[in-house]
Amino acid sequence: MSQTDTSVATDAAIAYLREHDTEHLAQLDEFLRIESISADPGRIDEVRRAGQWIVDELTRLGIERATLHETSAHPIVTGEWMKAGDDAPTVLIYCHYDVQPADPLDEWIRPPFEPRHENDRVYARGSGDDKGQLFMHLKAVEAWMATANRLPVNLRFFFEGDEEVGSEPVEAFIEEHADLLRADVCVVSDGDTFDDDGTPAIGYGLRGIAYWEVRVHGPRQDVHSGQYGGGVDNPANVLVRMLASLTAADGRVTVPGFYDRVRDLTDEAHAAYAALPFDEGAWADETGVPGPMEGERGHSLLERLSARPTFDINGIWGGYTGDGAKTIIPAWAAAKISTRLVPDQDYREIETSMQAHLASIAPPTVRVEVRVIHGGAPAITPLDHPGIGPASRALEAGFGKPPLFQRSGGSVPVVAALDAHLGLKTLMIGFANPTGNFHAPNEWMSLRNIRDGVVSLVHLWAELGAMRASDLRAGEPAPRR
Ligand code: BES
Ligand code: MN
Ligand code: MN
């Protein structure tokens, strides 16, 4: 296709989106009403229904081999359209269709699975993370197929139903089905734009994660704290003492060897962070904290939020938590704990060193059990990847401003897995709103980001379609940061 033809076709696809806007938003609501909570064993069928909904949509759009694959957990969806020609690039699109649990339910203004449109936003669980973004990809494909009956690039689709619970089945799936996933570049839409004023972003990093459950066991059963206090070591006291010792006041993790593989920021990387417009006061207000924590010296808040590792207690329980007082030494206490990791930390190494460290600091008066829940590798993508230019132009065309480059603090385990198994590099192009209540009550996404984002994707396929596959794959530049 000539350049003029492509630009005429792009305009037609965008006009199609404008004409079908109302209808598309209603269809998004239909998708968001499916309660695809991957963590909830009672919703297994709902997760499957969301996967099947996507398969049916892909098929309707003319995507071939749209398939719901069984896995050890929830299904994985794949499909492809490979008719753009041998020379044309092949792009793998990844998003996830599972969502986080919706509790605390009474903090939602409207029920989480009854989408509410208000203030130019759609509120629903999964609106931003990540069903809304997955849906945007379906609409960009639809716009091309409905107006040109073709796409400018070959597309493959990889949609997961376990992202929010650790992506357990994806490694095996990537190994077994490499032929369904092979591509010149991957596009992941599971992050956010730079701000809520329509400044788009290209992500160049994600943190990894390691997650455990710790249980401290004491007496055979709860005992009277007057009768036994002073003689029986209290498992809850021991647990909080142990966990408190895992971080220093500045947040640095005390587990031996924890920082050994952390790649320090280069001067260039510090400068890139410093150049980003970021208001710490506004960030604190928005978050509802009196101010940011002290944090590691030599790193700005923005750096600490994405380029440095962290330790957190995600939940802690045990003993008496009912009304009034009950004087006991509990038989046990437990916590869910996790660390966010950065390149080149290895989550398997960290899993082991945390277990060994906790065992080494446990007093002999209790029994400590540490169980790994899940892990995922950090990722960083080179900023001189040949897909960055086309992606920047596409985002500027859609949002009316050029993108900023940001590293995200969250984790998407598939990104590192695709690189490790298939050598596949990822362009992280997220469309959700940074304050859009991911994992929280009243999750939302702005309609503006949905519209401008879909238009960006229509442009992205045109931009990449103007390249040859070999140019997009070209060079494996050494990571710069
Ligand atoms: N979409 C998020 C990750 C994310 C958040 C990326 C914000 C960029 C900006 C993803 O769905 C997520 O929540 N991942 C989990 C992974 C975990 C369960 C292994 C996370 O980060 O906690
Ligand atoms: Mn997500
Ligand atoms: Mn999430």
Side-chain angles (χ1 to χ4, degrees):
M1 228 188 195
S2 79
Q3 232 173 39
T4 348
D5 289 347
T6 305
S7 111
V8 170
T10 305
D11 289 346
I14 293 166
Y16 172 90
L17 290 168
R18 220 175 296 118
E19 280 156 34
H20 293 81
D21 186 68
T22 313
E23 188 188 310
H24 289 174
L25 289 176
Q27 202 195 2
L28 170 60
D29 287 354
E30 184 188 306
F31 186 40
L32 292 174
R33 277 197 285 269
I34 306 175
E35 305 188 3
S36 53
I37 305 172
S38 49
D40 182 356
R43 295 231 180 39
I44 290 178
D45 292 342
E46 282 291 281
V47 180
R48 170 177 299 273
R49 197 155 72 84
Q52 186 61 49
W53 190 93
I54 299 166
V55 168
D56 294 344
E57 273 303 293
L58 289 172
T59 306
R60 184 179 70 80
L61 299 180
I63 301 307
E64 296 179 337
R65 297 165 72 189
T67 308
L68 194 70
H69 301 263
E70 298 306 327
T71 74
S72 55
H74 297 296
I76 284 175
V77 175
T78 64
E80 63 184 28
W81 189 89
M82 300 294 286
K83 297 175 185 168
D86 291 343
D87 235 20
T90 301
V91 182
L92 179 71
I93 299 171
Y94 167 91
C95 297
H96 61 91
Y97 65 85
D98 63 319
V99 300
Q100 283 277 324
D103 53 277
L105 272 180
D106 54 3
E107 289 186 29
W108 287 77
I109 291 167
R110 277 280 299 271
F113 296 102
E114 290 175 25
R116 168 168 66 101
H117 290 246
E118 210 179 294
N119 312 322
D120 203 46
R121 297 170 173 183
V122 51
Y123 288 86
R125 173 55 88 230
S127 53
D129 186 13
D130 182 35
K131 284 156 89 182
Q133 300 189 62
L134 189 158
F135 184 81
M136 290 164 63
H137 276 283
L138 297 179
K139 292 301 113 177
V141 168
E142 175 173 329
W144 271 104
M145 294 299 276
T147 54
N149 201 28
R150 61 180 282 279
L151 284 155
V153 285
N154 299 311
L155 285 186
R156 289 196 152 124
F157 302 86
F158 180 18
F159 297 138
E160 186 195 346
D162 285 284
E163 200 278 340
E164 299 291 11
V165 287
S167 298
E168 190 271 322
V170 305
E171 296 246 358
F173 188 87
I174 294 170
E175 275 176 16
E176 277 164 42
H177 297 282
D179 51 319
L180 300 178
L181 305 175
R182 222 162 255 127
D184 302 306
V185 73
C186 177
V187 168
V188 169
S189 294
D190 188 22
D192 43 23
T193 51
F194 185 79
D195 57 25
D196 291 320
D197 301 322
T199 309
I202 293 180
Y204 65 97
L206 290 164
R207 287 197 281 200
I209 191 164
Y211 202 118
W212 306 261
E213 181 169 323
V214 186
R215 230 166 233 275
V216 178
H217 300 272
R220 188 168 296 108
Q221 57 182 16
D222 295 357
V223 294
H224 191 292
S225 64
Q227 280 180 308
Y228 291 87
V232 166
D233 214 352
N234 183 320
N237 293 21
V238 172
L239 177 65
V240 297
R241 229 183 288 134
M242 287 174 65
L243 298 185
S245 78
L246 295 181
T247 46
D250 63 358
R252 267 183 83 91
V253 180
T254 59
V255 177
F258 188 76
Y259 289 91
D260 285 0
R261 292 187 196 276
V262 171
R263 220 192 281 171
D264 283 325
L265 291 175
T266 59
D267 291 345
E268 192 194 10
H270 279 297
Y273 266 103
L276 291 171
F278 182 68
D279 180 339
E280 297 196 1
W283 174 90
D285 283 350
E286 177 64 43
T287 314
V289 292
M293 64 187 274
E294 179 191 328
E296 281 182 281
R297 195 161 307 161
H299 293 280
S300 68
L301 174 56
L302 210 48
E303 289 171 354
R304 287 188 270 119
L305 287 168
S306 53
R308 298 299 295 173
T310 58
F311 167 83
D312 283 291
I313 298 171
N314 303 105
I316 183 162
W317 70 102
Y320 183 68
T321 56
D323 289 335
K326 184 172 183 232
T327 44
I328 53 153
I329 293 175
W332 57 269
K336 308 260 189 193
I337 61 171
S338 62
T339 57
R340 294 282 170 178
L341 309 174
V342 300
D344 297 309
Q345 286 174 298
D346 177 337
Y347 71 90
R348 290 184 193 86
E349 253 176 48
I350 301 283
E351 281 168 4
T352 314
S353 57
M354 177 67 83
Q355 277 176 310
H357 180 65
L358 288 173
S360 80
I361 62 172
T365 48
V366 295
R367 185 168 58 84
V368 175
E369 217 184 327
V370 186
R371 192 167 59 86
V372 170
I373 297 194
H374 61 60
I380 195 144
T381 51
L383 282 171
D384 45 8
H385 186 280
I388 298 274
S392 300
R393 290 192 293 276
L395 286 167
E396 181 161 9
F399 285 82
K401 339 180 189 176
L404 296 175
F405 294 85
Q406 68 179 357
R407 270 174 81 165
S408 291
S411 309
V412 184
V414 77
V415 172
L418 287 170
D419 192 7
H421 293 278
L422 305 177
L424 191 52
K425 302 294 174 208
T426 290
L427 298 171
M428 286 179 268
I429 306 183
F431 297 110
N433 292 75
T435 66
N437 297 333
F438 272 28
H439 297 197
N442 305 306
E443 180 177 350
W444 59 274
M445 170 128 163
S446 72
L447 301 185
R448 165 180 175 185
N449 279 21
I450 295 177
R451 294 187 181 109
D452 291 353
V454 182
V455 170
S456 302
L457 291 173
V458 165
H459 282 284
L460 181 61
W461 307 143
E463 287 280 351
L464 294 177
M467 295 177 76
R468 283 199 317 250
S470 51
D471 296 333
L472 188 55
R473 243 186 341 246
E476 283 238 8
R480 287 200 316 181
R481 3 203 100 143

